[in-house]
């Protein structure tokens, strides 16, 4: 009898066909536009050369970025997993979960522990599951809290398994988000649930009390390595019932010295790779941000539907889930859901050779970090040069989890001693850690860069967007935090694009043209800030001086500009509506896109240029994930919060003021000179920018009133 299929994959029709037709028609219109600009510039004498050249440059940048983005639309696919088809007698492979945290003041300890607890409660054999918490701040509260979390887990995990609870993050379960999950349960369930709630409140109270003292929240930048097994699932669990068995839980705080580079999250992940290699050595890894908890306990089994497929497994590096956020408001003024990425672009990349590595919520094959498909053992030819001098770690690389565990006879103390050696900052000296394999150090966007090189080596990935979100996190709800994050991304993406690893040079020779175009879009899209800045200033200044840059309304060439403008708007609208969005979603995305490009992306490009020229020291700012009630209230009302973002908004503010002056003064001139037919394009452009900039205008008025 034929084996049951573990997953499905289908091309998104008619989207793919519609996209290809649109690409052909839109590109034809672009060629007409470029012909119009070029011929007028070189053949007509009365053309304003500087202004025409600048606007042509802007349109050329927009054209290049538009061409790159079409790769996402060429062959979008949808996948689904069928975990119930996994054969009952199959032995699932080991799985190591990595959770990373740094600063308890910006990443609340309770949220971190909720993520850890949700990972411990995954629907996976406890003896095959291990959870590692990387505390890169070395603070006392994190170590204290994980021990308390372990104690609470001994009650929480059996409760979840007994009643088949889906929301296994206790913070989410006891909130309003999971009210409908508790409607139809029995009185016995409610009694047990009440007891668990009391225990959770006690656990939470203890952690908050200890964390309330500043001394306990301090990040320790100068410290030795500390590795501690909080719960060992190998000892004294042979006769324990399945419902009460717990996975391995390990706390890791690597050595940090102020004078030595630590490589941020990539360095922490590589430390976890080494430490987990000599403790559990699971063939697969799940990487989670500290605020991205497991919302569906079956996510591991769903991912294994792909990793266990004999047709895919030899070349499959990772299964990527979308980042979905529980604190998105109905209006979503900041586009926190990132609809364009997770409902369009990732599905488009999945139809090529897979999506990029998104930093969290991915199930990764450990050996993919060390070699190429079907050549995973090549790195063992010079193991000490590649991986350092730890014989135990090198031995762990030579076999799978079962072989390694069966052969090792080291005591727990010996394993911990070896783990501390592996967590030492000097261990990576004169090795290949962070270079050709593992999580890479060349870019602060360690996951994106690592995933890119995995694709360059021939690995593939898949994207899974199930109906129930498998992971839920907390997104930024004010302008400042969002822009700080965007500046970091934009700066590093531009540096990545201009490096020797550029997708349009290095990548195009190692992967398909369409896939390299996708990566090229990500790395060069911040340059849209230059194009939009030119488009938001040059036509407006020319409007003020009565200089036309567009054809007359009665000129046939005017139809080319109208076609391109409406084509872009309707293509975006179609994508929004076909991905369950609304007209309001479309408008909010239009608005926040312009705001982000002219502020965050522009500063990111400038930062990248400064780093390339001056070789500035890298500085990474953590996104603040602590809750602020005032911010939440403003966000829920659909009001933009510019507090703390004044510096980032300067270019956009100048742009808005310039458009106000040019629009009204230019319109007055148009009326007097009766030149609306010649200047209509510039009048409309300035007016549209003002409409998109309404939140900025509102913020200026509100600040002026002192509110």
């Amino acid at each position: 009898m034929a084996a049951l299929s573990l997953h499905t994959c289908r091309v998104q029709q008619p989207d793919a066909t519609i996209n290809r037709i649109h690409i052909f028609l839109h590109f034809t219109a672009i060629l007409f536009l470029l012909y119009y600009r070029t011929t007028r510039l070189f053949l007509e004498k009365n053309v304003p050369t500087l202004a025409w050249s600048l606007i042509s440059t802007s349109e050329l940048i927009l054209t290049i970025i538009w061409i790159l983005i079409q790769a996402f639309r060429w062959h979008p696919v949808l996948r689904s997993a069928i975990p119930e088809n996994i054969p009952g007698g199959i032995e699932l492979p080991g799985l190591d979960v990595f959770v990373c945290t740094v600063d308890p003041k910006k990443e609340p300890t309770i949220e971190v522990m909720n993520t850890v607890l949700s990972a411990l409660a995954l629907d996976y054999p406890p003896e095959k599951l291990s959870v590692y918490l990387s505390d890169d701040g070395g603070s006392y509260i994190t170590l204290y809290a994980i021990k308390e979390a372990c104690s609470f887990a001994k009650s929480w995990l059996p409760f979840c398994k007994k009643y088949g609870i889906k929301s296994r993050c206790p913070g989410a379960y006891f909130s309003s988000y999971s009210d409908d999950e508790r409607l139809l349960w029995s009185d016995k369930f409610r009694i047990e649930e009440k007891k668990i709630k009391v225990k959770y409140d006690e656990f939470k109270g203890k952690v908050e009390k200890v964390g309330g003292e500043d001394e306990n929240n301090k990040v320790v930048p100068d410290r030795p390595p500390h590795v501690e097994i909080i719960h060992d699932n190998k000892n004294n669990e042979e006769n324990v019932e399945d419902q009460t068995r717990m996975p391995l839980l390990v706390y890791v705080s690597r050595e940090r010295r102020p004078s030595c580079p630590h490589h941020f999250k990539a360095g922490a992940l590589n430390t976890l790779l080494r430490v987990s290699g000599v403790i559990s050595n699971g063939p697969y890894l799940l990487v989670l941000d500290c605020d991205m908890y497991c919302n569906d306990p079956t996510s591991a089994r769903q991912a294994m539907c792909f990793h266990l497929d004999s047709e895919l497994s030899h070349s499959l590096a990772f299964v990527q889930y979308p980042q979905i956020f529980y604190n998105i408001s109905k209006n979503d003024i900041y586009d926190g859901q990132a609809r364009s990425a997770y409902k369009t672009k990732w599905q488009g990349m999945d139809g090529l050779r897979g999506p990029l590595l998104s930093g969290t919520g991915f199930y990764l094959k450990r050996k993919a970090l060390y070699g190429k498909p079907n050549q995973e053992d090549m790195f063992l030819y010079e193991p000490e040069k590649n991986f350092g001098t730890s014989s135990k770690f090198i031995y762990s690389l030579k076999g799978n989890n079962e072989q390694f565990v069966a052969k090792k006879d080291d005591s727990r103390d010996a394993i911990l001693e070896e783990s501390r050696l592996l967590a030492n900052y000097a261990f990576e000296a004169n090795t290949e850690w962070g270079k050709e394999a593992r999580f890479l150090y060349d870019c602060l966007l360690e996951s994106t860069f690592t995933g890119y090189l995995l694709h360059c080596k021939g690995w593939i990935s898949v994207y899974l967007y199930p109906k129930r979100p498998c992971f839920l996190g907390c997104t930024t709800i004010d302008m400042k935090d969002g822009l700080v994050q965007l500046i970091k991304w934009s700066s590093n993406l531009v540096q990545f694009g201009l490096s020797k690893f550029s997708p349009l040079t290095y990548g195009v020779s190692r992967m398909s043209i369409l896939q390299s175009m996708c990566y090229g879009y990500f790395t060069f899209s911040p340059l849209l800030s230059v194009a939009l800045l030119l488009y938001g200033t040059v036509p407006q200044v020319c409007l003020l001086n009565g200089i036309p840059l567009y054809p007359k309304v009665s000129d046939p060439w005017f139809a080319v500009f109208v076609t391109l403008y409406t084509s872009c708007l309707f293509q975006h609208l179609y994508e929004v509506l076909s991905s369950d969005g609304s007209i309001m979603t479309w408008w909010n995305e239009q608005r926040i896109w312009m705001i982000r490009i002219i502020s965050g992306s522009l500063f990111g490009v400038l930062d990248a240029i400064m780093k390339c020229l001056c070789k500035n020291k890298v500085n990474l700012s953590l996104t603040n994930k602590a809750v602020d009630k005032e911010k939440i209230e403003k966000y829920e009302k659909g009001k933009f919060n510019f507090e703390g973002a004044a510096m980032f908004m300067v270019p956009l503010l100048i742009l808005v003021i310039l458009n106000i002056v040019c629009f009204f003064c230019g319109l007055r001139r148009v009326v007097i000179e009766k030149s609306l037919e010649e200047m209509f394009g510039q009048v409309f452009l300035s007016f549209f920018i003002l409409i998109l900039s309404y939140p900025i205008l509102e913020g200026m008025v509100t600040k002026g009133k002192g509110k």
Side-chain angles (χ1 to χ4, degrees):
M1 191 172 83
L4 294 173
S5 175
L6 296 177
H7 58 86
T8 64
C9 177
R10 65 177 179 85
V11 179
Q12 288 183 267
Q13 294 288 7
D15 289 3
T17 303
I18 292 173
N19 287 342
R20 293 178 186 187
I21 294 172
H22 175 262
I23 290 169
F24 173 75
L25 296 175
H26 192 89
F27 186 64
T28 301
I30 286 176
L31 292 177
F32 277 112
L33 179 144
L34 295 177
Y35 174 81
Y36 173 82
R37 289 293 185 198
T38 305
T39 54
R40 296 303 184 277
L41 180 62
F42 292 106
L43 300 179
E44 292 190 7
K45 296 180 180 180
N46 59 342
V47 169
T49 305
L50 179 60
W52 203 271
S53 299
L54 290 174
I55 204 67
S56 298
T57 301
S58 173
E59 289 166 347
L60 185 60
I61 294 172
L62 291 170
T63 296
I64 293 170
I65 301 300
W66 180 86
I67 291 172
L68 293 176
I69 204 174
Q70 300 319 301
F72 297 105
R73 295 169 176 153
W74 191 253
H75 192 250
V77 300
L78 275 176
R79 297 184 190 269
S80 62
I82 314 173
E84 55 269 23
N85 285 354
I86 296 177
I90 195 172
E91 187 175 0
L92 292 172
L95 174 64
D96 292 345
V97 183
F98 294 171
V99 181
C100 298
T101 186
V102 180
D103 188 347
K105 292 181 179 177
K106 292 187 176 181
E107 299 167 334
T109 306
I110 283 294
E111 286 190 17
V112 178
M113 294 307 123
N114 273 313
T115 299
V116 170
L117 287 163
S118 71
L120 288 169
L122 283 170
D123 181 17
Y124 210 75
E127 68 277 8
K128 296 288 186 178
L129 181 62
S130 304
V131 179
Y132 293 81
L133 176 64
S134 169
D135 176 17
D136 229 18
S139 58
Y140 171 79
I141 182 59
T142 306
L143 179 58
Y144 171 83
I146 197 172
K147 292 178 179 178
E148 291 296 326
C150 182
S151 298
F152 172 69
K154 293 174 182 177
S155 301
W156 174 245
L157 268 59
F159 172 75
C160 291
K161 293 175 182 177
K162 180 178 180 180
Y163 291 103
I165 302 298
K166 291 182 180 179
S167 299
R168 297 191 179 182
C169 167
Y173 177 80
F174 291 116
S175 71
S176 58
Y177 295 111
S178 297
D179 282 346
D180 54 348
E181 192 172 353
R182 306 193 295 270
L183 291 176
L184 303 176
W185 287 106
S186 63
D187 292 338
K188 181 182 177 182
F189 164 80
R190 296 186 185 282
I191 292 171
E192 286 195 48
E193 181 193 51
K194 191 174 181 180
K195 291 179 181 177
I196 294 294
K197 178 67 164 64
V198 170
K199 290 182 179 180
Y200 177 68
D201 288 340
E202 288 176 356
F203 153 66
K204 187 176 177 181
K206 287 179 182 178
V207 173
E208 289 178 344
K209 182 179 179 181
V210 174
E213 300 178 18
D214 289 340
E215 188 68 25
N216 296 331
N217 278 306
K218 284 185 177 179
V219 171
V220 184
D222 191 356
R223 63 178 189 272
H226 183 172
V227 180
E228 186 172 339
I229 297 177
I230 307 300
H231 178 80
D232 191 345
N233 63 349
K234 301 296 186 296
N235 295 334
N236 304 319
E237 290 208 349
E238 289 79 3
N239 299 319
V240 179
E241 293 182 9
D242 285 344
Q243 284 189 350
T244 56
R245 297 186 73 180
M246 275 183 57
L248 176 73
L249 180 60
V250 182
Y251 170 88
V252 180
S253 178
R254 61 180 171 143
E255 182 178 18
R256 289 278 294 268
R257 302 299 177 193
S259 59
C260 301
H262 54 83
H263 304 295
F264 304 101
K265 185 179 176 182
L269 287 172
N270 280 334
T271 299
L272 290 180
L273 268 179
R274 296 192 295 270
V275 171
S276 64
V278 298
I279 296 179
S280 55
N281 200 35
Y284 295 95
L285 313 171
L286 166 61
V287 177
L288 294 174
D289 282 345
C290 63
D291 64 330
M292 185 68 66
Y293 66 82
C294 303
N295 186 58
D296 187 340
T298 68
S299 67
R301 291 180 181 271
Q302 290 184 55
M304 290 305 153
C305 289
F306 299 94
H307 280 300
L308 297 178
D309 185 334
S310 57
E311 294 183 5
L312 278 178
S313 59
H314 67 283
S315 59
L316 178 62
F318 61 91
V319 177
Q320 178 67 62
Y321 286 88
Q323 294 185 43
I324 300 178
F325 305 101
Y326 60 82
N327 63 330
I328 299 290
S329 70
K330 185 178 180 181
N331 206 9
D332 192 18
I333 55 175
Y334 300 115
D335 187 30
Q337 65 176 327
R339 182 211 56 81
S340 177
Y342 298 120
K343 291 190 176 182
T344 302
K345 293 185 176 68
W346 268 237
Q347 290 171 350
M349 290 189 78
D350 198 15
L352 304 176
R353 285 183 66 83
L356 51 75
L357 208 58
S358 302
T360 183
F362 58 86
Y363 285 85
L364 172 69
K365 181 188 292 184
R366 186 186 288 264
K367 281 195 172 183
L369 293 170
Y370 303 139
K372 299 178 180 179
N374 301 318
Q375 298 178 358
E376 296 98 328
D377 296 332
M378 286 183 64
F379 56 85
L380 290 175
Y381 294 150
E382 296 180 294
E384 291 191 0
K385 177 184 175 182
N386 283 312
F387 299 105
T389 56
S390 172
S391 58
K392 290 185 176 65
F393 179 72
I394 292 172
Y395 175 60
S396 76
L397 297 171
K398 295 180 180 179
N400 60 29
N401 181 52
E402 289 73 17
Q403 292 170 332
F404 174 63
V405 172
K407 291 181 180 179
K408 73 178 185 184
D409 55 1
D410 300 287
S411 67
R412 174 168 168 160
D413 289 341
I415 292 291
L416 287 175
E417 186 62 33
E418 189 71 16
S419 298
R420 294 185 188 102
L421 170 67
L422 294 167
N424 191 301
Y425 80 89
F427 182 82
E428 294 185 358
N430 302 315
T431 69
E432 294 298 307
W433 281 101
K435 297 175 185 177
E436 285 300 315
R438 285 62 78 192
F439 290 95
L440 301 163
Y441 298 157
D442 292 299
C443 177
L444 280 182
L445 302 176
E446 70 292 318
S447 296
T448 301
F449 192 51
T450 299
Y452 167 71
L453 287 190
L454 287 175
H455 283 139
C456 286
K457 291 175 185 293
W459 293 99
I460 66 171
S461 58
V462 301
Y463 180 58
L464 189 58
Y465 196 125
K467 290 182 179 179
R468 179 182 175 88
C470 286
F471 303 98
L472 284 175
C474 179
T475 189
T476 55
I477 56 171
D478 70 344
M479 193 64 75
K480 177 194 170 186
D481 289 337
L483 291 181
V484 167
Q485 197 174 58
L486 180 60
I487 290 169
K488 181 190 80 170
W489 290 343
S490 298
S491 175
N492 284 280
L493 284 171
V494 171
Q495 292 177 73
F496 174 17
L498 298 176
S499 71
K500 66 178 182 179
F501 295 107
S502 175
L504 302 185
T505 54
Y506 182 90
V508 77
S509 63
R510 292 167 173 82
M511 59 175 72
S512 70
I513 292 175
L514 289 175
Q515 193 175 22
S516 62
M517 285 170 63
C518 291
Y519 277 105
Y521 167 78
F522 288 120
T523 55
F524 293 109
S525 60
L527 296 179
L528 283 170
S529 58
V530 177
L532 263 61
L533 194 62
L534 291 173
Y535 231 80
T537 54
V538 175
Q540 289 74 5
V541 173
C542 289
L543 171 64
L544 189 64
N545 292 282
I547 303 172
L549 292 179
Y550 299 96
K552 292 181 180 180
V553 176
S554 59
D555 190 328
W557 284 106
F558 187 75
V560 173
F561 289 86
V562 173
T563 299
L564 287 170
Y565 175 74
T566 55
S567 172
C568 286
L569 289 183
F570 280 107
Q571 170 67 17
H572 181 209
L573 180 61
Y574 172 76
E575 286 185 353
V576 170
L577 296 179
S578 62
S579 58
D580 302 322
S582 63
I583 298 291
M584 181 58 71
T585 304
W586 170 78
W587 179 249
N588 283 337
E589 287 186 11
Q590 287 277 329
R591 187 169 57 180
I592 197 64
W593 178 77
M594 188 201 75
I595 292 173
R596 284 174 172 172
I597 291 292
I598 299 296
S599 51
S601 293
L602 180 62
F603 275 97
V605 171
L606 294 174
D607 184 61
I609 293 171
M610 291 297 293
K611 285 176 179 174
C612 290
L613 294 177
C614 307
K615 304 295 182 184
N616 288 354
K617 184 179 178 181
V618 175
N619 182 28
L620 178 65
S621 298
L622 282 177
T623 304
N624 193 346
K625 295 162 186 171
V627 175
D628 186 317
K629 291 184 178 179
E630 188 177 339
K631 286 182 183 179
I632 293 174
E633 289 176 5
K634 214 168 194 177
Y635 174 62
E636 292 291 342
K637 291 177 181 177
K639 301 289 185 182
F640 281 81
N641 185 355
F642 297 105
E643 187 177 347
M647 182 184 72
F648 306 132
M649 303 306 294
V650 169
L652 190 56
L653 192 60
I654 293 172
L655 188 73
V656 171
I657 293 172
L658 177 67
N659 273 267
I660 291 173
V661 173
C662 292
F663 176 74
F664 287 105
C665 295
L667 188 61
R668 177 176 177 273
R669 180 170 188 154
V670 166
V671 172
I672 292 173
E673 297 180 357
K674 297 181 180 180
S675 57
L676 182 60
E677 189 179 16
E678 286 184 331
M679 308 302 295
F680 178 79
Q682 285 151 266
V683 171
F684 177 80
L685 179 61
S686 187
F687 175 73
F688 187 68
I689 289 174
L690 290 179
I691 295 296
L692 287 176
S693 304
Y694 174 75
I696 311 298
L697 296 171
E698 186 181 39
M700 289 167 59
V701 173
T702 302
K703 191 171 182 180
K705 291 181 178 179
K707 291 183 181 179

